[in-house]
Amino acid sequence: MSEGSKGSSLAFGQVVIGPPGSGKTTYCHGMQEFMGRIGRKVTVVNLDPANEAMPYQCAVDIAELITLPDVMENLKLGPNGGLIYCMEYLEANFDWLQEKLAAFRGHYYLFDCPGQVELYTHHDALKNVFAQLAKWNFRLAAVHLVDSHYCTDPGKFISVLCTSLSTMLHVELPHVNVLSKMDLIEQYGKLAFNLDYYTEVLDLSYLVDHLASDPFFRNYRRLNEKLVEVIEDYSLVSFVPLNVQDKESMRQVMQAVDKANGYSFGDQEHRSLEALMSAAVGADFHFTSTLAVQEKYVQSQDKAVEEEVMDL
C-alpha cells in the first residue's frame, strides 16, 4: 500500500457519513453482518473519536491515536472544535492509518466517520484523508445517511437536500444518499406525498407550494424557490431507502454502493447472496421491499382515518 504504487492491489470500501443520530454506526454494524453472511471479508474502521459504544467488531479504531474527551480536556476545546482538531491530527498522521490498514489486505472496508456536518460541507481534513486513501488505491464510495423523519417536514427536507448536495460537491467521491430508519417512518407523522417523491426527488415545486400553506414559510417562498432551483439544476440528489432489519433493503443499498465504487463480486458471493435472499424471512426482517414500506405506511394512515370517522 505504498503511496503512488501502481502495482498494489485495489481495495474497496465505503465511507459512512451523515449528521449525528442518522444511524451511521448501526449501518456499519448491519452492513458488516450482511456482507459477512454472503462471504465478503469486511473490516470496520472507526474514524469517530467520540464513538465509545461500538456494536460492531472494530478492527481499526482512531481511539488508539486520539480521542475527543482527551482533546477537549487538554486543549480546552468544545465538541465541534475538538472533532475538527482530531481530524486534522489524523490527517497529520497518515502513516499510523496506513500501517493499521495494511494488516487487512484483501478485505472490504467500512469507515465509520464522525457526525459533524461541517467536516463534509466545507472543512478539508476528512476530505484530504479520503484523497490519501485514493492514492493508496482505495476505491471508495460515500454513503451519506439522512434520517427519514425529515421527509415529514417540507422545510427540513429542503434543508437536507441542500446539505446533501453540498456534501456531494465537497467530498468529491462517488456518492449514495440513503434515507435511514425507514422502519420507523410511521412514527414520524404523515407524508405529504408518496415515498418515491422523496427518494427520487421529483418536481420540488409541489414541496414549495406545500410549504406556502404555513404562514411562517409563506414569507420565505422566494428563498425556497431559489434553493429548490439550485438543487434541481444540479440534478444530483436522490435517495435509497434503508431499513437495516430488511435484507432486501440492505441488498439494494449494497448493490448501489458496489455500482458506485466499481466493486464486482465473484460467483461464490453471488450464489451466497441468492441463497440468503431466497431463504425464508426471519423474525428480524420485517419488510421485503421499498414498496412494502410504502404500502404499510399507507395502510396505517387509512386505518387512522377510519378510526377518526368511527369516532365521529
Side-chain angles (χ1 to χ4, degrees):
M1 285 171 54
S2 60
E3 184 174 343
S5 174
K6 299 293 184 180
S8 59
S9 60
L10 293 177
F12 293 87
Q14 310 174 18
V15 293
V16 184
I17 62 179
S22 57
K24 296 184 294 299
T25 297
T26 301
Y27 171 86
C28 288
H29 184 209
M31 190 58 73
Q32 181 187 41
E33 288 190 347
F34 184 81
M35 288 182 172
R37 292 174 68 177
I38 63 173
R40 193 178 300 189
K41 294 188 293 185
V42 179
T43 293
V44 182
V45 180
N46 176 45
L47 294 184
D48 185 356
N51 200 350
E52 297 178 348
M54 293 171 286
Y56 50 72
Q57 183 179 354
C58 183
V60 180
D61 190 354
I62 193 176
E64 298 176 19
L65 178 70
I66 192 171
T67 65
L68 180 60
D70 288 344
V71 169
M72 293 174 62
E73 180 180 353
N74 296 325
L75 300 181
K76 308 304 178 185
L77 294 173
N80 289 340
L83 271 174
I84 289 176
Y85 179 88
C86 289
M87 293 301 101
E88 291 175 344
Y89 191 81
L90 175 63
E91 182 186 1
N93 289 273
F94 279 139
D95 55 341
W96 173 86
L97 183 61
Q98 184 177 21
E99 181 182 350
K100 291 292 184 180
L101 296 178
F104 301 96
R105 283 195 179 94
H107 287 216
Y108 187 96
Y109 297 83
L110 296 174
F111 294 88
D112 189 0
C113 299
Q116 188 176 357
V117 175
E118 295 93 325
L119 292 172
Y120 313 117
T121 55
H122 60 269
H123 195 267
D124 286 336
L126 206 52
K127 172 185 175 181
N128 293 338
V129 172
F130 300 156
Q132 184 62 49
L133 288 170
K135 292 179 181 178
W136 295 337
N137 280 335
F138 277 77
R139 297 297 178 261
L140 301 173
V143 179
H144 183 223
L145 298 182
V146 174
D147 197 317
S148 60
H149 86 266
Y150 289 119
C151 295
T152 61
D153 187 317
K156 289 181 180 178
F157 187 66
I158 290 178
S159 176
V160 161
L161 292 174
C162 291
T163 302
S164 299
L165 178 60
S166 178
T167 300
M168 295 174 74
L169 297 176
H170 183 73
V171 171
E172 297 180 347
L173 284 175
H175 213 89
V176 178
N177 292 304
V178 175
L179 281 178
S180 62
K181 305 179 184 178
M182 290 303 300
D183 51 319
L184 302 177
I185 195 169
E186 298 172 28
Q187 303 176 16
Y188 297 143
K190 186 176 180 180
L191 297 180
F193 306 99
N194 288 336
L195 190 60
D196 60 351
Y197 178 88
Y198 300 92
T199 57
E200 301 301 325
V201 189
L202 302 175
D203 189 351
L204 295 178
S205 62
Y206 294 106
L207 204 61
V208 175
D209 292 338
H210 188 72
L211 267 177
S213 62
D214 187 313
F216 175 80
F217 287 107
R218 190 178 302 136
N219 298 326
Y220 300 97
R221 182 185 180 100
R222 186 62 178 161
L223 173 62
N224 289 322
E225 288 176 346
K226 289 300 180 182
L227 290 174
V228 163
E229 285 179 13
V230 171
I231 296 166
E232 292 183 332
D233 285 346
Y234 277 95
S235 298
L236 290 176
V237 185
S238 61
F239 294 95
V240 180
L242 171 67
N243 170 14
V244 174
Q245 295 178 323
D246 170 24
K247 60 184 179 182
E248 173 61 24
S249 178
M250 292 291 283
R251 182 187 66 83
Q252 291 176 357
V253 172
M254 184 189 73
Q255 290 183 335
V257 177
D258 286 348
K259 183 177 180 180
N261 65 14
Y263 180 86
S264 178
F265 52 79
D267 291 340
Q268 181 58 48
E269 186 172 318
H270 181 71
R271 287 194 293 269
S272 298
L273 179 60
E274 287 184 338
L276 175 62
M277 300 310 298
S278 62
V281 177
D284 56 333
F285 295 115
H286 306 301
F287 304 107
T288 57
S289 66
T290 304
L291 181 60
V293 177
Q294 175 69 15
E295 289 177 347
K296 191 173 189 298
Y297 176 82
V298 171
Q299 289 171 1
S300 65
Q301 293 298 320
D302 291 343
K303 184 177 180 181
V305 172
E306 290 176 0
E307 289 177 351
E308 290 179 4
V309 172
M310 293 296 290
D311 291 340
L312 294 175

